[in-house]
Amino acid sequence: MSGLGWRLGAVLATVALFSFLTAANFIDEETRLASPVLPDDGLRLGLDLQGGIHRVVGVKLEEAELQELVFLKDALLEEADEDPQLSVSNAVVENGVLVVSPRDDGAGVKSWADDSRSLSLVSEEAGRLEYTLEDQVRQDVRERGMEQVLEVLRLRIADPIQGIPDSVVTRQGDDRVLVQVPGGQIDRDRLDDLLEVTGFLEFKIVQDLADNEKLLNDRYPTGLPPGTKIVSEQDPEDDRKLTAYLLPEEPDLTGDFLTDARVAFDRQQRPIVSFSFNSEGARRFGELTGANINEQLAIVLDDRVYSAPAIRSRIGARGQIEGRFTTEEARDLAVVLRSGSLPIPVVIEEERTVGPALGQDSITRGYRASILGLIVIIGFVVGYYRLSGGYASLALAANLVMLMGIMSLFEATLTMPGIAGIVLTVGMAVDANVIIFERIREELRSGKAPRAAIATGYNKTFWTIMDANITTFITALVLFEFGTGPIQGFAVTLAVGIVTSVFSALVLTRLMFSVHPGTQPVEQLSI
């Protein structure tokens, strides 16, 4: 086979492959999943084209203020233990204020509060000082809490391994987060669990256990040992409490040292969540397990025991969580552990389903308008450039097929801005062919033979076309890096469209000219 034959075969195979991927999008999902040939997934529609789930999550920022007051209270008591001039008999946080009971006239406490620059004295009585947070400190605490919650929710929804692509997680007002997820990617209950679960992981050595909480309580008629509490394992299907464990109130180790969490399977092919610690976490975990061999280690998430395996040997940087959960629940748990725990409780305040922004009728109209526009462009190009225009039209059709095929291959999401990107690349593809054809015409008018005019036309316009497309491609990369949601969808479509339009304009049409007229001597070129 000649060199032209190999090139023609390779290009036709490439176009055929992407045509297959594009056509697969028009086959229903059930047929695709049942077929061993068709891809399971393809081009996805964005939130604006197919609608999805809409949630408004309220952040309990007053909890952040209370946490800050508790932190200041602990700092006060700790310093009072070391400084004899700071005489404090008690300090508690009640009803959103820090109540300090000094043993003396309270001068030391007042001086400490002034130095902290965080507390404002609101009430002073005999033996009782009441403080609240300074206004600026309160504002800083609320702002920091919102940023932390927003970051955790974004990590959970847009998790790099099992995230939901093209979702929207953005701040709404002072204390709310807006979450929008394209339809069909996650059911509502799983999304709600993913948003609301705190994700606070603790490891505790089991002190005692019984079949249920009542039996365990009966063993301690005078009350539970100091510093302990009962935590139960729950059936995930009906939340029925199962085994009850007596655990220390303070955790022996928390999930703050986790570096990764992934879904795995045990020997019975049941889903589990394996996790790994950083170096500090591995050291502490090793010390904890090494000192409690043959004891049970309870793995507690949000005050619920997931499993309590017996420690057979010292464990290092890796461990696993076993539980009665499905594969999907295990995946969600791994996402929650990877993203970290929510520092402040949240609650879903608004639940609704959003429809396509433009509606199905508008999408259909847009589809028809695109087809009509394409026909008009092809008619004009063929009428003006004749056979060469036919080449450009075929290249334009191949360009669209390859663009959709590449996006399907990478399971990209098509949004309304993405459709605008497709229209833009179609225009750029036609414009590139117009530049080439006009240059060829100039060469023909100067007296060159058709074959030489074609070669010169492509060679002299190559960098002009490349310069324009490279700068636009860089713009698309910038939009993808700094944009979100639909903007990224536009950037992806634009970037892929530039690659396919350059390929169709410089490779496909030139290959057609190589087939006809090719090396055949012709007096005139149909252009």
Side-chain angles (χ1 to χ4, degrees):
M1 185 180 290
S2 64
L4 176 61
W6 281 111
R7 282 189 289 144
L8 187 61
V11 169
L12 289 177
T14 303
V15 175
L17 172 63
F18 290 123
S19 300
F20 170 74
L21 294 174
T22 301
N25 292 299
F26 297 95
I27 299 174
D28 63 88
E29 184 179 3
E30 186 177 350
T31 305
R32 288 203 313 267
L33 293 174
S35 172
V37 179
L38 295 172
D40 292 344
D41 298 306
L43 194 63
R44 290 193 293 257
L45 297 180
L47 189 67
D48 53 353
L49 291 181
Q50 67 167 339
I53 306 172
H54 172 104
R55 294 286 186 271
V56 175
V57 178
V59 183
K60 296 182 178 179
L61 292 175
E62 61 276 10
E63 286 290 332
E65 297 177 20
L66 289 177
Q67 290 175 13
E68 184 68 15
L69 284 173
V70 171
F71 171 78
L72 292 170
K73 178 209 69 173
D74 293 341
L76 171 63
L77 293 177
E78 186 176 341
E79 194 165 337
D81 290 339
E82 300 175 354
D83 186 356
Q85 295 183 349
L86 192 59
S87 181
V88 177
S89 64
N90 192 21
V92 294
V93 176
E94 293 178 346
N95 301 321
V97 296
L98 171 59
V99 181
V100 183
S101 303
R103 291 192 180 94
D104 51 16
D105 60 358
V109 174
K110 291 178 183 176
S111 176
W112 178 88
D114 291 340
D115 292 342
S116 71
R117 298 181 180 179
S118 298
L119 295 170
S120 175
L121 183 64
V122 293
S123 175
E124 179 178 1
E125 299 175 3
R128 181 184 175 95
L129 300 173
E130 294 185 357
Y131 289 95
T132 61
L133 293 174
E134 289 278 0
D135 290 342
Q136 185 59 48
V137 174
R138 177 183 288 108
Q139 185 61 33
D140 292 343
V141 167
R142 295 174 71 91
E143 189 67 22
R144 188 167 60 247
M146 274 300 297
E147 290 177 357
Q148 291 174 335
V149 169
L150 199 57
E151 182 180 358
V152 171
L153 292 183
R154 279 178 176 159
L155 287 172
R156 290 183 180 181
I157 301 300
D159 180 73
I161 299 176
Q162 292 159 339
I164 308 169
D166 298 294
S167 301
V168 174
V169 180
T170 185
R171 183 170 178 170
Q172 189 176 61
D174 294 333
D175 57 357
R176 291 182 174 183
V177 178
L178 171 66
V179 179
Q180 290 183 323
V181 177
Q185 309 219 14
I186 188 171
D187 63 57
R188 289 166 174 74
D189 292 338
R190 280 186 61 203
L191 176 64
D192 293 347
D193 290 342
L194 208 56
L195 292 175
E196 289 190 307
V197 65
T198 303
F200 187 57
L201 182 66
E202 300 170 292
F203 300 89
K204 298 180 177 180
I205 298 297
V206 176
Q207 308 292 317
D208 198 356
L209 76 161
D211 289 339
N212 56 57
E213 190 171 338
K214 182 177 182 307
L215 289 176
L216 191 55
N217 267 315
D218 290 344
R219 293 181 185 175
Y220 304 93
T222 58
L224 299 176
T228 63
K229 65 178 180 179
I230 295 176
V231 182
S232 298
E233 183 179 358
Q234 289 179 291
D235 191 318
E237 294 183 356
D238 54 11
D239 289 336
R240 182 168 50 90
K241 290 186 177 181
L242 304 175
T243 308
Y245 297 89
L246 182 67
L247 304 176
E249 290 183 344
E250 295 299 322
D252 297 299
L253 188 65
T254 68
D256 294 340
F257 302 97
L258 287 184
T259 57
D260 194 14
R262 293 172 185 268
V263 177
F265 295 90
D266 61 12
R267 293 179 178 176
Q268 285 76 39
Q269 294 303 304
R270 292 173 302 194
I272 59 175
V273 177
S274 64
F275 57 84
S276 56
F277 287 110
N278 59 18
S279 57
E280 176 63 17
R283 183 185 65 77
R284 296 190 183 193
F285 200 50
E287 291 176 355
L288 174 65
T289 54
N292 293 279
I293 291 177
N294 294 326
E295 299 289 340
Q296 281 185 273
L297 177 68
I299 301 174
V300 185
L301 182 70
D302 294 343
D303 273 339
R304 171 185 168 184
V305 175
Y306 269 72
S307 56
I311 303 172
R312 300 303 180 197
S313 62
R314 189 178 189 276
I315 306 173
R318 295 182 181 278
Q320 65 184 39
I321 301 174
E322 299 172 354
R324 303 180 182 187
F325 33 57
T326 64
T327 303
E328 287 184 342
E329 290 171 339
R331 286 175 180 166
D332 292 344
L333 177 58
V335 169
V336 169
L337 295 180
R338 277 199 299 272
S339 61
S341 59
L342 280 172
I344 307 169
V346 301
V347 59
I348 295 176
E349 295 182 347
E350 184 179 330
E351 305 179 17
R352 59 188 172 95
T353 301
V354 293
L358 296 179
Q360 186 59 45
D361 183 59
S362 297
I363 294 172
T364 303
R365 286 169 179 261
Y367 175 75
R368 291 173 180 170
S370 301
I371 296 295
L372 179 62
L374 193 62
I375 293 173
V376 171
I377 290 175
I378 290 176
F380 171 76
V381 172
V382 172
Y384 194 71
Y385 291 108
R386 292 174 288 180
L387 180 61
S388 300
Y391 290 169
S393 300
L394 289 174
L396 181 61
N399 174 29
L400 288 173
V401 168
M402 288 191 296
L403 192 158
M404 301 299 289
I406 292 175
M407 292 185 65
S408 303
L409 179 65
F410 293 103
E411 299 174 12
T413 302
L414 183 64
T415 61
M416 280 306 297
I419 293 177
I422 293 175
V423 175
L424 181 60
T425 55
V426 167
M428 293 176 67
V430 174
D431 183 59
N433 283 125
V434 168
I435 294 173
I436 295 170
F437 293 166
E438 289 300 322
R439 185 68 192 187
I440 293 175
R441 278 181 167 182
E442 289 181 9
E443 298 298 326
L444 290 173
R445 283 194 290 268
S446 67
K448 282 190 176 180
R451 187 179 176 189
I454 292 171
T456 305
Y458 274 95
N459 293 336
K460 289 192 173 180
T461 56
F462 178 83
W463 284 112
T464 301
I465 296 171
M466 289 300 294
D467 285 347
N469 283 280
I470 287 173
T471 52
T472 309
F473 188 80
I474 293 173
T475 304
L477 294 180
V478 173
L479 284 176
F480 182 82
E481 178 65 26
F482 296 102
T484 58
I487 301 299
Q488 284 188 326
F490 171 77
V492 169
T493 307
L494 183 61
V496 175
I498 288 171
V499 174
T500 56
S501 64
V502 168
F503 178 79
S504 62
L506 295 179
V507 177
L508 281 182
T509 55
R510 189 163 189 176
L511 188 61
M512 294 178 199
F513 279 119
S514 299
V515 175
H516 180 80
T519 57
Q520 301 172 17
V522 292
E523 294 184 357
Q524 289 188 336
L525 187 64
S526 180
I527 190 169

